Amino acid sequence: MSLLVLTSAAGAPGVSTTALGLTLAWPRDAVLVDADRSAPHSILAGYLSGQSTRGNGMQGLLQAHRERSSMAAALAAEWRPLPDLPRPPGQDAPGERRFVPGFTHLGSVDLFEGAWPSVVETAREASFDVVVDAGRTGHRGLPANLVAGADAVGLVCRTSLASLAALPLHLAPLVESGAPGRVGLVVVGPGRPYGVREVAEQFGVPVLAEVAWDAASAAELNEGAPVGKRWARTALARSFERAAVALSEAMRAGRLEEAS
C-alpha cells in the first residue's frame, strides 16, 4: 500500500499533530510510525495520555532487521491501537488505526538506516497504509532509503516568514533524493499571512495538503486532554478529513499534484 513521510525544516510547525490527525482521518487502515530521531515521544505523552512504550517500538523493528526475521511480524508485535476521535452519530471509523512508538535509545537512531529498506518493502506489501512522523530533517537530512521508498514526502510548514526561511536548505535535498513529483509541502495555517499558491510558486513544489490553523483543537490532540464531542465539527478535524482523503487517493493514483 502507500507510504507517506512527514517532516519539517525547523521550528514547531506541527509535524506530529499533522501525522496523528491524518492517520486518524485516513480513509483506510493506517499505521503511524514515530521515527522522530530526537525521540520526543510526544504522541505517547499527549494523545495516548502518558502511556509507556510497553515494548520496544522502533527498537523492536531494528532487532528484527538485525536478526533477519520478519519485519511484518515485528511491526505487528510493536504496534498498538490508536483510540478513535469522536465522530458524528452513526459514522464509524473507515479503518483501523495503529501506532508504533519511537526510539527508546538514541544510540539506535543511526543504526536504523540499514533497516529502512525492509520497513519500506513491508509497507509496500501490507494491506494498510503507513504514515511516518520523521520529525525534523536535521543537518544530515532524512534517511535516504526512507525518502527514496516513500510514495510522498511532505515538508510541513507554516506560512510565516520565520517558518518559510529555512525551507530552501531542507527542501532541495529531499527533492534530489526523492523520486520526481513525490516531494511537496503540507501547509499549516494557509493565509497566515501567505496563501498556498504563493508558497507553492515560491518553492517550486506542489502543496500536498492544507491543515487549518486551529490551536485549541490541536491542543486537544497533543496535550493529553480529553477530546471534546464537538471535535468532528472543528476546522482542524474537517481539514484533516479533506487532506487525508485527497492525499491517499493521489498517492494511489501517482498524481500528487492533484492532492491539494
Side-chain angles (χ1 to χ4, degrees):
M1 297 294 276
S2 299
L3 173 62
L4 169 65
V5 176
L6 296 177
T7 185
S8 70
V15 177
S16 293
T17 301
T18 300
L20 175 61
L22 288 175
T23 301
L24 292 169
W26 208 252
R28 295 183 299 279
D29 292 350
V31 176
L32 172 59
V33 176
D34 180 0
D36 190 327
R37 290 167 293 177
S38 65
H41 294 170
S42 57
I43 294 174
L44 282 173
Y47 188 68
L48 294 179
S49 303
Q51 288 186 18
S52 69
T53 54
R54 278 209 329 264
N56 297 315
M58 293 293 282
Q59 308 294 139
L61 304 188
L62 178 59
Q63 188 66 23
H65 168 68
R66 286 175 164 176
E67 297 175 352
R68 299 184 180 180
S69 56
S70 168
M71 185 59 71
L75 194 62
E78 298 301 338
W79 70 37
R80 66 189 63 192
L82 272 176
D84 196 23
L85 290 165
R87 293 181 177 273
Q91 181 181 334
D92 297 326
E96 293 187 35
R97 285 84 176 81
R98 304 181 181 98
F99 173 65
V100 176
F103 293 100
T104 54
H105 300 287
L106 292 178
S108 298
V109 172
D110 290 338
L111 299 177
F112 204 89
E113 176 72 30
W116 278 118
S118 180
V119 174
V120 169
E121 181 181 0
T122 298
R124 292 283 190 193
E125 297 175 351
S127 59
F128 49 81
D129 292 338
V130 177
V131 178
V132 175
D133 174 3
R136 296 187 188 183
T137 58
H139 68 285
R140 288 184 294 177
L142 295 186
N145 290 317
L146 173 61
V147 174
D151 293 285
V153 179
L155 191 62
V156 181
C157 65
R158 298 182 185 179
T159 63
S160 66
L161 285 176
S163 181
L164 297 175
L167 285 191
L169 288 175
H170 298 266
L171 185 58
L174 290 177
V175 173
E176 291 170 3
S177 58
R182 293 186 184 179
V183 178
L185 303 176
V186 176
V187 176
V188 178
R192 293 175 54 88
Y194 299 107
V196 293
R197 205 172 275 183
E198 293 174 280
V199 174
E201 290 176 354
Q202 176 67 31
F203 296 102
V205 294
V207 172
L208 305 181
E210 300 175 40
V211 177
W213 179 265
D214 187 350
S217 299
E220 290 187 89
L221 285 187
N222 59 35
E223 292 183 3
V227 178
K229 294 181 180 179
R230 296 174 58 86
W231 164 264
R233 286 180 277 175
T234 65
L236 185 61
R238 292 196 299 268
S239 70
F240 280 143
E241 292 282 351
R242 289 192 298 269
V245 171
L247 262 174
S248 63
E249 291 178 353
M251 284 195 298
R252 294 186 78 181
R255 297 192 300 269
L256 286 179
E257 69 278 0
E258 300 177 10
S260 181

